[in-house]
Amino acid sequence: MLADSTILKTEYGDIEYTVEGEGTPILLLHGAGGGYDQGLWAGKVFFGDGYKFISVSRYGYLWSSIPDNASIESQAAAYKTLLDNLSIDKVIVVGVSAGGPSATQFANDYPDRCSALILISAVSMGPAPGDQDPFYVSIIHIIQQSDYAYWLLTRFFQPAVLDLMGIPTQVYETFNPEQKELAQEMLDIMHPMSQRYRGTVNDEKMIEFYTVPTDNLGAPALIIHAKDDALVSYKHAENAHSKINKSQLVLYDTGGHGMLSQMNGTRVLVKEFLNESTY
């Protein structure tokens, strides 16, 4: 367990989480290679102040365990257990990258607990055309297993590592100083990387045959993606939009996987969407 996180023991294994800030509750579900700390980073980038962030380390990340028969459905059920424990009735659910499937699943399975769903560069199905080439994914896996290799590469080859993570070099070159600092902060947060590797492998297994559930999904949804995302193709966003009735799709031409170059516009979009859909 890290200094600013808490462990909740549940029937779905240990759930590591943290709660930060005051305001409207937002459940933050991080991407591959992340943890509750990466979730908080995404909250800061895309939402700013005025929210109560509940950020979870998903199955296998940092100090969250992987239960037997781990699935997207049981991961969503674990979030409900956590919210029950925190006496939080309704949340805005945010799924970033590989956090997308369990965010969507939660919105579908517990409609009375979800006021809105926001998907950012999110996965919505198994592998899709345009996703990161398996060769590059295997390089990421190698880097993930060595904390020293990860530290070395993120210190001296930052643009190359970001390129592997779906932020093209030409996008990185447009970053202003604040965006470059946030990109470095994201890379720093993911160190030590080896503690996040089990979760990444587990994600791949759980997501392989995933499809967006639509039988119960009533919350309004905002789906944001960049067309030049080199890690998770924007086809995932189009797929989610086609299946979720009350969804709004926003596709940027550029921004890469992290969409840092679009963060100011995205904050405005998110605020407008939440004002319209939750009040």
Side-chain angles (χ1 to χ4, degrees), residues 13-34:
D14 292 349
I15 305 171
E16 181 185 30
Y17 72 96
T18 194
V19 180
E20 196 173 281
E22 288 300 325
T24 309
I26 293 184
L27 179 63
L28 294 168
L29 306 175
H30 64 84

Side-chain angles (χ1 to χ4, degrees), residues 5-109:
S5 68
T6 305
I7 303 284
L8 177 67
K9 294 194 173 296
T10 77
E11 63 184 293
Y12 309 103
D14 292 349
I15 305 171
E16 181 185 30
Y17 72 96
T18 194
V19 180
E20 196 173 281
E22 288 300 325
T24 309
I26 293 184
L27 179 63
L28 294 168
L29 306 175
H30 64 84
Y36 78 92
D37 43 5
Q38 190 197 67
L40 286 178
W41 176 87
K44 180 169 83 171
V45 169
F46 296 113
F47 293 88
D49 299 326
Y51 300 98
K52 175 186 273 195
F53 293 131
I54 303 105
S55 192
V56 177
S57 295
R58 298 186 296 101
Y59 284 163
Y61 288 98
L62 298 177
W63 291 92
S64 285
S65 54
I66 303 176
D68 295 337
N69 303 318
S71 66
I72 300 292
E73 291 82 1
S74 68
Q75 178 81 95
Y79 304 151
K80 178 187 175 290
T81 301
L82 173 62
L83 295 177
D84 290 346
N85 185 262
L86 294 171
S87 301
I88 294 173
D89 183 33
K90 272 198 166 188
V91 290
I92 296 156
V93 183
V94 178
V96 179
S97 192
S102 59
T104 310
Q105 193 74 44
F106 178 88
N108 182 78
D109 294 356

Side-chain angles (χ1 to χ4, degrees), residues 147-174:
D147 290 335
Y148 180 67
Y150 179 77
W151 176 85
L152 208 63
L153 287 165
T154 54
R155 273 278 158 260
F156 300 106
F157 302 96
Q158 190 202 54
V161 174
L162 289 171
D163 195 45
L164 276 175
M165 292 180 177
I167 302 172
T169 304
Q170 59 268 32
V171 171
Y172 178 77
E173 285 167 357
T174 68

Side-chain angles (χ1 to χ4, degrees), residues 2 7 11 34 42 55 66 70 73 118 132 147 154 157 186 190 195 201 203 205-206 209-210 226 249 272:
L2 301 182
I7 303 284
E11 63 184 293
S55 192
I66 303 176
E73 291 82 1
I118 299 176
Q132 182 70 284
D147 290 335
T154 54
F157 302 96
M186 178 189 76
M190 291 162 75
Q195 292 180 14
V201 172
D203 270 350
K205 287 182 194 158
M206 291 200 306
F209 302 107
Y210 179 75
L249 174 64
E272 286 174 355

